[in-house]
Amino acid sequence: VDEIFARASVYTTECKPAFSGGDDVVISGEWTHPFPGGYFTSDYGPRPCPKTLKCTKEVANHNAIDLATGTGTGTAVAPTQMEITRAGGNDSDGDYPVFARQTAEPHYVISYWHCATGSHHVRTGQIVEAGTPICDEGITGNAGGRPHIHLQFNKPSASDTRYERYTTVDPEPILAANGVDLCPPGRDVTGPCQER
């Protein structure tokens, strides 16, 4: 049942795949939680703009999921095997992102945003396995509130070295279909997990 619902959430209301590869939600290889010890704090899709942020299109229509520990000391990890395509430096908003491309089909682009300055644990060109540390949660760039990681999945056709807004897909159904529960039972969590 979970797999059926995960697959259904990646289709449009006209029953068309919402993105290329939409029928390939279950992906081979090992998968793990992308932020061990963390919890799900912001869903993919429309949301109210936090008062602490400049209300851009990206903030009002969240194109990723946010994960945090509440302590500011968490480390994001690779959810599956992937190749690091950009690590180091910052973008025009002052973020310190890490970009990667999933090695298995359909080759989603996975990026981590708001990494703490100087916290990258990987280098460009490195192939990492599920569970490999990527970067530490931070509050760099257009981020407000507490330190967290903005985890973004993009279509395989997207650039794997720069931000793209219109090619994102919801990471949650992909992770869920591959056995990763972002709302583990028995944990006192906030945000989207409370609504489930």
Side-chain angles (χ1 to χ4, degrees), residues 37-73:
Y39 54 92
F40 194 14
T41 62
S42 187
D43 235 335
Y44 182 92
R47 66 178 183 176
C49 285
K51 293 178 183 176
T52 57
L53 297 180
K54 179 173 63 176
C55 192
T56 63
K57 290 178 184 177
E58 289 83 0
V59 172
N61 190 11
H62 198 220
N63 55 11
I65 57 173
D66 289 346
L67 302 160
T69 62
T71 64
T73 60

Side-chain angles (χ1 to χ4, degrees), residues 51-126:
K51 293 178 183 176
T52 57
L53 297 180
K54 179 173 63 176
C55 192
T56 63
K57 290 178 184 177
E58 289 83 0
V59 172
N61 190 11
H62 198 220
N63 55 11
I65 57 173
D66 289 346
L67 302 160
T69 62
T71 64
T73 60
T75 299
V77 302
T80 190
Q81 186 184 69
M82 55 192 202
E83 180 178 359
I84 306 301
T85 55
R86 177 182 164 199
N90 66 334
D91 71 353
S92 60
D93 288 332
D95 262 309
Y96 288 83
V98 173
F99 284 80
R101 186 172 292 276
Q102 177 198 16
T103 57
E105 292 284 341
H107 307 294
Y108 291 111
V109 174
I110 302 170
S111 57
Y112 301 77
W113 297 83
H114 311 315
C115 297
T117 305
S119 73
H120 293 164
H121 300 286
V122 292
R123 65 186 183 287
T124 302
Q126 183 179 356

